[in-house]
């Protein structure tokens, strides 16, 4: 079932990774920077996120997510946009939203539901883009 490595269109993986990763920059730096800071209890502070860890770390995590989703995409023989959207919903809600919400329910995150809303929606959009790109370039 998972002998799909030779079938994968690797350029689609690169495109999906780039889209998901760049979405993160747009999401947290342009669309929701203040709400994100509020969710962390740092509304009036500058976030200390300029080190390489805060750029490379999320990039590696997004790459792992895209690769795992690609393996499922090919193993499940997804060929239509409808099936791609269903996979995005299953992976998005079943893993990404659930895990993000679990992480947010933490005494160190003062606004866990706001944090979860911002970050979960980012991952839902990112994984949806990933699955649509994989379907378009298969």
């Amino acid at each position: 079932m998972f002998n799909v490595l030779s079938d994968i269109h690797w350029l689609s993986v690169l495109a999906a990774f780039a889209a998901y990763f760049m979405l993160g920059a747009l999401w947290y730096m342009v669309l929701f920077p203040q709400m994100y800071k509020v969710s962390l209890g740092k509304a009036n502070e500058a976030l200390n996120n300029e080190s390489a860890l805060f750029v490379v770390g999320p990039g590696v995590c997004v790459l792992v997510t895209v690769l795992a989703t690609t393996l499922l995409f090919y193993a499940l023989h997804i060929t239509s946009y409808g099936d791609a959207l269903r996979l995005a919903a299953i992976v998005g809600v079943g893993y990404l939203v659930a895990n993000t919400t679990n992480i947010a329910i933490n005494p160190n995150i003062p606004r866990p539901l706001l944090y979860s809303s911002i970050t979960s929606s980012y991952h839902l959009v990112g994984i949806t883009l990933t699955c649509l790109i994989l379907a378009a370039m298969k």
Side-chain angles (χ1 to χ4, degrees):
M1 179 168 126
F2 287 99
N3 297 334
V4 296
L5 289 178
S6 63
D7 298 332
I8 292 174
H9 187 267
W10 291 100
L11 187 57
S12 69
V13 174
L14 181 62
F17 164 73
Y20 199 155
F21 184 68
M22 294 308 294
L23 177 67
L26 176 69
W27 208 263
Y28 293 104
M29 294 170 60
V30 177
L31 297 176
F32 304 107
Q34 190 58 34
M35 286 178 59
Y36 182 64
K37 286 170 49 174
V38 167
S39 76
L40 297 172
K42 297 178 181 273
N44 298 318
E45 300 175 37
L47 296 180
N48 183 17
N49 59 356
E50 296 179 10
S51 76
L53 176 65
F54 296 104
V55 176
V56 175
V60 170
C61 292
V62 165
L63 180 60
V64 169
T65 301
V66 169
L67 288 171
T69 304
T70 301
L71 289 173
L72 289 173
F73 187 93
Y74 279 83
L76 295 170
H77 305 288
I78 292 177
T79 58
S80 71
Y81 288 111
D83 285 342
L85 289 173
R86 282 184 272 287
L87 177 64
I90 291 167
V91 170
V93 174
Y95 294 114
L96 300 173
V97 171
N99 193 47
T100 297
T101 303
N102 189 46
I103 290 167
I105 302 170
N106 176 317
N108 295 310
I109 298 180
R111 304 278 308 271
L113 297 180
L114 179 59
Y115 176 89
S116 179
S117 296
I118 294 165
T119 303
S120 293
S121 58
Y122 156 65
H123 285 298
L124 276 175
V125 173
I127 204 65
T128 300
L129 281 172
T130 294
C131 289
L132 291 174
I133 290 168
L134 293 173
M137 296 180 72
K138 189 168 184 183

